[in-house]
Amino acid sequence: MENYYQPEIECASREQIRAWQDEHLVKTVHHVYKNVPYYRNLMDQKGVTPEDIKSVDDLHKLPFLTKDDLREAYPYGLVAMPLSDCVRIQSTSGTTGRRVVAFYTQHDIDLWDECCARAIMAAGGTKDDVVHVSYGYGLFTGGPGLNGGSHKVGSLTLPMSSGNTDRQIQFMTDLGSTILCCTPSYAAYLAETICERGLQDQIKLKAGIFGAEAWSEEMRQDIQNKLGIKAYDIYGLTEISGPGVSFECSEQTGMHINEDHFIAEIIDPNTGEVLPDGEKGELVFTSITKEAFPLLRYRTRDICVLTREKCSCGRTHVKMSKPMGRSDDMLIVKGVNVFPSQIETVLLGKGYPANYQITVSRENNSDKLDVEVEMTPEMFSDSMGDIETREAELVAALKAMLGIYAKVHLVAPKTIARSEGKAVRIIDNRKLY
């Protein structure tokens, strides 16, 4: 038996969804053109006026927006409402200095909570469930999003946040958590710890909602088998609102995009040309119901495929595949966005040459970040003790920049292989895609 939070929306006819999209897109374009000078300039440069956008068919006429625009317009340049109407920000780990900050009115938060409520009910959640939220709270969107969704469903919500595994397991057993929300790698770590302690029979979990990082089908099976649950994927990004932009249903074959709030396109990342459904390309989102921070044609850099095949769950909204890679050099490590440029900034600031290599691996379902850095000839002549001190200093500086631990190995000058004169910066051994 399928659960829906808003069946009249989730199972609406394609014609109805399209009518909503047309109406809200036109309104949103007028709203941003009038209230956001940054957008007005972009549209004027492209020779597009709000009157040119009459329906979703005209979406392709609008300019794209990228993370660079968000950095340039930071902090308030893309806010479409007076700050007196905004009630919250959330933020993501951005590159050097300027973070991505998203703004919300109360209306925006209510809609975001509803999107997350749909995801929880699609995973079988009801008001009788105990929803255990182990995503990070604070600036990160994971905790607040699922927390709000759980409230809307009426479930008992445990705002655990991440870390402190002993406490997580104690609450899970004592309070009978039934739905676990966290990153897949943390779910795998919890599963392993529960099995090691022989507590499987004391765990009442039936489902998990896991997102914020890439995970393979094998990892899903492993978590499902160890915890005896059904594991559902959820997708989102701070720029568009947070988790709940799309979510998996009982079919587990892709994530339904909440099309009454977000219009999805797939483009060729090199030419920007819109591709037909079923073709692999970069995912682009347009927010059509947000007040404070509505982004038009935002390039996510995630590579995926859209499908409109009929779904056995009864939902009619388009489905996106799991992301199959990125069209930029961003890595997602332990749910945190990491750009090589951030690491380079730290190294250059500390007097190292820009010759480094980042290796990401996954051991026991947990991500590990290793950074090899070439020393200058002067540093190389230092004693071992000095070199260890330098490594410790870089570990601390990288933790301050990235928010996660990276192991640093200082190596002799010219030891990192160059290919065609250009160093290979990233080795990702996780086999995620």
Side-chain angles (χ1 to χ4, degrees):
M1 173 61 188
E2 271 304 321
N3 268 350
Y4 309 104
Y5 180 65
Q6 293 163 308
E8 68 293 348
I9 297 174
E10 295 173 62
C11 306
S13 67
R14 288 300 319 160
E15 296 73 32
Q16 177 60 71
I17 293 170
R18 179 58 197 259
W20 285 328
Q21 289 186 335
D22 288 344
E23 179 194 344
H24 292 305
L25 174 65
V26 170
K27 265 191 197 155
T28 299
V29 171
H30 279 271
H31 174 56
V32 297
Y33 192 83
K34 182 175 159 215
N35 295 303
V36 184
Y38 193 95
Y39 262 124
R40 197 157 51 242
N41 292 340
L42 282 182
M43 285 173 67
D44 291 348
Q45 278 166 26
K46 215 176 170 207
V48 189
T49 68
E51 288 64 42
D52 295 331
I53 311 299
K54 297 181 176 68
S55 74
V56 176
D57 293 334
D58 299 317
L59 188 57
H60 67 96
K61 297 175 183 172
L62 290 168
F64 289 115
L65 206 65
T66 66
K67 210 162 217 158
D68 290 339
D69 290 301
L70 269 65
R71 289 200 194 103
E72 205 175 305
Y74 173 93
Y76 298 127
L78 287 167
V79 182
M81 293 291 278
L83 286 181
S84 56
D85 290 328
C86 298
V87 297
R88 171 138 30 114
I89 66 142
Q90 301 285 164
S91 176
T92 136
S93 49
T95 49
T96 54
R98 295 187 166 187
R99 300 172 68 97
V100 170
V101 175
F103 294 78
Y104 303 75
T105 62
Q106 188 55 52
H107 163 86
D108 296 336
I109 286 176
D110 291 339
L111 294 186
W112 177 26
D113 289 349
E114 284 176 4
C115 289
C116 290
R118 292 178 193 178
I120 290 169
M121 290 195 69
T126 68
K127 65 181 181 43
D128 298 319
D129 278 292
V130 179
V131 176
H132 188 109
V133 185
S134 304
Y135 285 111
Y137 279 68
L139 290 170
F140 179 59
T141 53
L146 273 302
N147 192 93
S150 175
H151 277 227
K152 288 267 187 206
V153 174
S155 310
L156 180 62
T157 311
L158 311 189
M160 301 299 301
S161 200
S162 48
N164 199 336
T165 302
D166 287 342
R167 187 174 66 190
Q168 301 275 0
I169 293 173
Q170 185 192 343
F171 273 71
M172 205 177 273
T173 52
D174 292 354
L175 296 177
S177 308
T178 55
I179 297 178
L180 173 62
C181 307
C182 61
T183 61
S185 51
Y186 193 53
Y189 178 69
L190 281 169
E192 203 175 301
T193 312
I194 286 163
C195 292
E196 274 168 12
R197 296 182 188 177
L199 296 172
Q200 297 95 312
D201 58 339
Q202 290 181 46
I203 298 289
K204 297 189 172 63
L205 291 175
K206 63 177 188 183
I209 299 175
F210 305 137
E213 63 186 5
W215 51 313
S216 60
E217 219 28 69
E218 293 72 33
M219 190 170 179
R220 187 207 303 258
Q221 295 307 331
D222 184 52
I223 296 170
Q224 291 190 147
N225 295 339
K226 281 187 177 147
L227 289 177
I229 63 172
K230 197 158 175 175
Y232 297 82
D233 210 341
I234 188 167
Y235 174 89
L237 51 168
T238 305
E239 299 91 317
I240 302 298
S241 70
V245 171
S246 66
F247 59 88
E248 248 180 349
C249 61
S250 54
E251 205 177 78
Q252 291 176 303
T253 54
M255 294 172 276
H256 290 281
I257 294 168
N258 284 309
E259 287 190 279
D260 51 324
H261 299 301
F262 313 105
I263 301 174
E265 302 171 273
I266 294 286
I267 62 164
D268 178 320
N270 301 314
T271 65
E273 176 204 353
V274 179
L275 302 175
D277 285 351
E279 293 224 8
K280 187 166 139 182
E282 184 184 333
L283 182 61
V284 172
F285 276 119
T286 296
S287 309
I288 52 172
T289 52
K290 288 184 76 172
E291 293 179 335
F293 203 68
L295 300 188
L296 305 179
R297 299 199 85 200
Y298 181 69
R299 294 185 60 162
T300 65
R301 303 291 178 189
D302 284 323
I303 302 293
C304 72
V305 174
L306 296 180
T307 170
R308 293 184 196 278
E309 281 171 24
K310 204 165 162 50
C311 186
S312 64
C313 79
R315 287 177 185 81
T316 47
H317 295 228
V318 67
K319 281 203 298 208
M320 60 178 271
S321 65
K322 265 183 188 301
M324 303 164 174
R326 306 259 320 156
S327 67
D328 63 5
D329 58 0
M330 186 175 93
L331 291 161
I332 299 181
V333 184
K334 293 185 173 174
V336 174
N337 301 348
V338 174
F339 287 87
S341 55
Q342 289 173 295
I343 292 173
E344 198 165 296
T345 301
V346 170
L347 299 179
L348 296 175
K350 298 266 181 208
Y352 293 85
N355 297 322
Y356 61 90
Q357 198 163 58
I358 302 162
T359 307
V360 193
S361 52
R362 188 166 273 178
E363 285 174 28
N364 300 327
N365 290 314
S366 181
D367 291 342
K368 278 185 59 184
L369 186 61
D370 286 88
V371 185
E372 275 197 323
V373 185
E374 281 186 13
M375 291 181 274
T376 61
E378 299 77 51
M379 293 172 184
F380 187 54
S381 58
D382 288 349
S383 70
M384 262 321 283
D386 290 341
I387 290 173
E388 281 169 12
T389 305
R390 283 183 170 280
E391 284 180 340
E393 191 185 31
L394 275 181
V395 166
L398 287 171
K399 182 136 193 346
M401 170 65 91
L402 305 173
I404 54 172
Y405 172 76
K407 195 167 172 56
V408 175
H409 312 267
L410 290 176
V411 297
K414 307 215 177 332
T415 45
I416 294 177
R418 315 284 195 275
S419 58
E420 298 148 27
K422 196 175 174 207
V424 177
R425 290 277 180 244
I426 301 168
I427 301 170
D428 193 337
N429 294 324
R430 294 177 295 180
K431 303 189 174 51
L432 297 175
Y433 301 116

